[in-house]
C-alpha cells in the first residue's frame, strides 16, 4: 500500500467553495503525478458533511479509440483546503486499471489499431 501525498493549500478567508472544475483540476494534477496519461478525473460530486464539504472525484481509465474502460478509484478533495485529503491507494488503482485492460483487451487493442491506421 503506498502512502498518499497530501498537500495543504488553505483557501483564502471567506473564499467561495471550489467549483467542480477546480476539484477535477486538482485530481488531474494528482493523476499526472501518480498514474499516467490513460487515467483522468471523472465528474466531481459534492458531499456535504456536518463540519465540512468534500468533492468526490472518480478516477477513470480510458484508451484511445476505445474510450472509457471504467472507474479505478476515487479522490476526495477538501472544499476549504483545495487539496486531496483521501484517495484510493495508488497500487489498488493500478491493479484495477490492469484488470480492466485484461477484461477488455481484445476490444481495446482493436480500437487502438483502428486509431493508429487512421493516423498513418
Amino acid at each position: 500500500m503506498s502512502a498518499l501525498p497530501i498537500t495543504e493549500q488553505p483557501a483564502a478567508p471567506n473564499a467561495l467553495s471550489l467549483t467542480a472544475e477546480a476539484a477535477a483540476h486538482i485530481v488531474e494534477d494528482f493523476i499526472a503525478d501518480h498514474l499516467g496519461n490513460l487515467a483522468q478525473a471523472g465528474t466531481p460530486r459534492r458531499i456535504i458533511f456536518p463540519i465540512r464539504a468534500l468533492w468526490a472525484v472518480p478516477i477513470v481509465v480510458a484508451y484511445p479509440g476505445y474510450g472509457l474502460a471504467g472507474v479505478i478509484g476515487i479522490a476526495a478533495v477538501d472544499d476549504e483546503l483545495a487539496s486531496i485529503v483521501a484517495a484510493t491507494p495508488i497500487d489498488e488503482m493500478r491493479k484495477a486499471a490492469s484488470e480492466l485492460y485484461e477484461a477488455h483487451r481484445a476490444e481495446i487493442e482493436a480500437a487502438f489499431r483502428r486509431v493508429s491506421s487512421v493516423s498513418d
Side-chain angles (χ1 to χ4, degrees):
M1 194 160 152
S2 12
L4 176 66
I6 298 175
T7 58
E8 290 191 16
Q9 301 169 348
N14 300 319
L16 296 174
S17 63
L18 286 177
T19 63
E21 294 81 17
H25 181 71
I26 290 166
V27 174
E28 289 287 350
D29 287 345
F30 172 80
I31 290 168
D33 289 344
H34 301 285
L35 292 168
N37 63 353
L38 295 176
Q40 59 193 37
T43 303
R45 300 288 182 219
R46 198 154 184 250
I47 302 171
I48 307 295
F49 291 95
I51 58 171
R52 67 187 323 101
L54 298 173
W55 286 93
V57 184
I59 298 174
V60 301
V61 65
Y63 295 91
Y66 180 81
L68 179 65
V71 176
I72 60 171
I74 298 173
V77 179
D78 186 286
D79 198 45
E80 184 180 335
L81 298 175
S83 64
I84 294 176
V85 294
T88 303
I90 300 296
D91 292 344
E92 288 182 26
M93 287 192 274
R94 287 185 178 137
K95 182 179 180 208
S98 292
E99 289 169 352
L100 283 169
Y101 180 78
E102 289 304 322
H104 302 281
R105 177 188 286 250
E107 298 96 341
I108 291 168
E109 289 178 357
F112 183 74
R113 283 192 296 275
R114 283 193 303 274
V115 170
S116 294
S117 67
V118 170
S119 62
D120 288 341

